[in-house]
Amino acid sequence: MAENLAPEKRHSFVHNGQKVFEWDQTLEEVNMYIELPKGVPTKLFHCSIQASHVEHDLTHPVKTDSSFWTIEDGEMHITLQKREKGKTWSSPIQGQGILDPYAADQEQKRLMLQRFQEENPGFDFSQAQFSGTCPDPRTFMGGIRSE
């Protein structure tokens, strides 16, 4: 059931007609995907993850001890652990690839349904819908429960 609430597709940031990165998010993490140049050895690539910076300034801070990066099949995958679980990010990088208001609202709705699914594992929220504005998944009804 929870897999039905996973991101349907990646968001893309395109600059001057070229894809710079793709990304998606869950309640707990933001994933960035960067296609690496062909013919360049992967050992030449490195990614330094800081609390508010990954080559560029991040939109929101992350937990560095549980964030990481990997390279597989010519793609760098950066997993950023959100410092604020449930926070809806409009983009991983400040000022780059920001979601339009409709897409941002859809993300917030999807994250809210993920929260409901996490808190109520016996129920299937994959077909649930919101009418009107969706509340913030971090703060709705007392906020996200800590474990």
Side-chain angles (χ1 to χ4, degrees):
M1 287 182 275
E3 60 275 358
N4 294 337
L5 297 173
E8 291 179 20
K9 65 178 186 128
R10 297 175 180 176
H11 305 288
S12 292
F13 173 54
V14 178
H15 181 70
N16 290 336
Q18 183 174 354
K19 180 173 59 176
V20 179
F21 64 84
E22 293 180 317
W23 69 283
D24 60 31
Q25 66 183 310
T26 65
L27 279 173
E28 297 185 26
E29 61 191 31
V30 172
N31 296 288
M32 294 179 65
Y33 309 90
I34 303 166
E35 191 173 324
L36 300 176
K38 293 181 181 4
V40 179
T42 57
K43 65 181 177 182
L44 296 179
F45 293 98
H46 177 75
C47 181
S48 175
I49 301 173
Q50 299 171 14
S52 297
H53 193 84
V54 175
E55 309 307 319
H56 296 279
D57 290 336
L58 294 170
T59 306
H60 300 286
V62 299
K63 297 177 183 177
T64 56
D65 59 341
S66 51
S67 297
F68 60 93
W69 62 276
T70 61
I71 294 177
E72 187 173 330
D73 298 328
E75 181 177 74
M76 180 180 282
H77 176 193
I78 305 169
T79 299
L80 303 169
Q81 193 74 27
K82 293 178 178 179
R83 189 173 289 168
E84 293 181 74
K85 180 179 177 180
K87 176 93 172 158
T88 306
W89 289 28
S90 59
S91 173
I93 305 295
Q94 282 186 12
Q96 296 184 5
I98 297 172
L99 296 177
D100 63 65
Y102 177 78
D105 184 58
Q106 294 303 307
E107 277 294 293
Q108 185 155 317
K109 288 177 180 178
R110 190 179 56 73
L111 293 181
M112 183 59 127
L113 292 175
Q114 278 186 350
R115 177 187 157 187
F116 287 162
Q117 186 69 59
E118 185 178 278
E119 292 176 357
N120 303 281
F123 294 91
D124 181 3
F125 292 95
S126 63
Q127 300 300 315
Q129 296 181 357
F130 290 95
S131 60
T133 304
C134 177
D136 184 338
R138 283 179 310 129
T139 59
F140 180 68
M141 293 185 68
I144 292 178
R145 296 182 190 126
S146 299
E147 300 186 45

